[in-house]
Amino acid sequence: TVTHSDGTIIMTFAGNTELSWESTTSGNEGPYNVTINHASAILRSRRSPFRVLGDLTLTAGEYNTLSGDSGGDLDLTVTGDVIIAAAGTLTCNTSTVIVDSITISANGTLDAPDASGSLTLNGTKSAWSFQNNSTNFNHNNGTITQTAAGHIKSVSSNPMYNFTLNSATSDSHEAVFRPKTGTDCVIAANNVTVTRGVVKLNTVSHNASMGSLTIGSAGTFQASSGTTTLTGGGANGDNAA
């Protein structure tokens, strides 16, 4: 029997650490908050998918979904938020990663799941679902799916690859994009899919670009008064709108 008691586990070991949390007691299926705080620290789950019931904070060091014990990419679920500070790194490999929101500070690093994995955003932190302030975000040709309303900050030099808005509860939920700097916002390098909800820019005069755009029957793309550019990405190299 393991009880997290709403506390925080802080890892400060200068090296590889494996954490095994195998409680199946409801509400205690993982630690509550986990913080990694050493530049040489690398934390992994030992042999099973890793669940954090509160926040995962990467102050310094790395969480890596590749298990050193099993040699496989293990899934990661963070019921709260992922906060990546300037010296922090989250490496997702080919894992299925589900979180509330992600905040990446300047110089923080997020290696997103590749095309065989996935990243899902289910909530917000201070209205942000994905706030990228760093040029160290690597999309790895993967897909990020948002299931609720939330703002997204994009660095145009390293945007998302595929982005999908598929609200779980409302046709009016908005994914609101804004560029970190300037007036040009790259929403995604490849495909944007609006299955359910509204994709829009925060400032109506800003310009948007993406590889291709696919809008479902319950989806809306709200164009700005600026320019929307389709650069010819997408699974088949086609633009759809």
Side-chain angles (χ1 to χ4, degrees):
T1 300
V2 181
T3 304
H4 58 63
S5 301
D6 293 356
T8 299
I9 296 174
I10 303 175
M11 313 299 295
T12 61
F13 178 69
N16 281 281
T17 303
E18 291 185 340
L19 194 156
S20 180
W21 190 293
E22 299 180 4
S23 171
T24 58
T25 305
S26 179
N28 282 284
E29 304 96 330
Y32 192 70
N33 294 320
V34 174
T35 296
I36 302 173
N37 191 13
H38 193 289
S40 299
I42 302 177
L43 176 64
R44 307 172 190 267
S45 180
R46 182 167 177 78
R47 62 173 65 91
S48 58
F50 191 46
R51 179 185 295 271
V52 179
L53 301 181
D55 297 336
L56 174 62
T57 302
L58 304 164
T59 305
E62 176 182 356
Y63 182 82
N64 194 309
T65 64
L66 174 62
S67 169
D69 181 59
S70 69
D73 296 324
L74 302 177
D75 296 342
L76 171 66
T77 300
V78 181
T79 306
D81 305 302
V82 175
I83 301 110
I84 305 173
T89 298
L90 174 60
T91 302
C92 299
N93 302 294
T94 305
S95 300
T96 296
V97 178
I98 301 171
V99 305
D100 243 22
S101 74
I102 295 179
T103 301
I104 313 170
S105 297
N107 299 317
T109 300
L110 171 60
D111 275 313
D114 62 24
S116 297
S118 63
L119 172 56
T120 300
L121 309 169
N122 285 331
T124 61
K125 179 179 176 63
S126 302
W128 292 97
S129 56
F130 189 87
Q131 185 174 182
N132 182 23
N133 298 289
S134 175
T135 56
N136 296 329
F137 166 61
N138 305 306
H139 60 58
N140 294 315
N141 294 351
T143 297
I144 295 178
T145 299
Q146 181 167 310
T147 66
H151 287 241
I152 298 164
K153 183 184 289 186
S154 173
V155 177
S156 293
S157 61
N158 59 327
M160 300 176 181
Y161 187 68
N162 295 319
F163 174 77
T164 297
L165 176 63
N166 187 12
S167 170
T169 59
S170 175
D171 294 356
S172 61
H173 273 165
E174 295 179 341
V176 184
F177 280 80
R178 63 178 73 183
K180 182 178 182 295
T181 59
T183 59
D184 297 329
C185 183
V186 181
I187 295 178
N190 193 52
N191 188 49
V192 174
T193 302
V194 193
T195 304
R196 185 184 186 191
V198 181
V199 171
K200 60 185 286 190
L201 292 181
N202 183 62
T203 303
V204 295
S205 60
H206 281 182
N207 303 313
S209 68
M210 65 208 81
S212 66
L213 175 62
T214 304
I215 306 170
S217 59
T220 299
F221 176 73
Q222 185 173 315
S224 70
S225 60
T227 301
T228 299
T229 301
L230 303 179
T231 60
N236 300 311
D238 299 325
N239 294 323

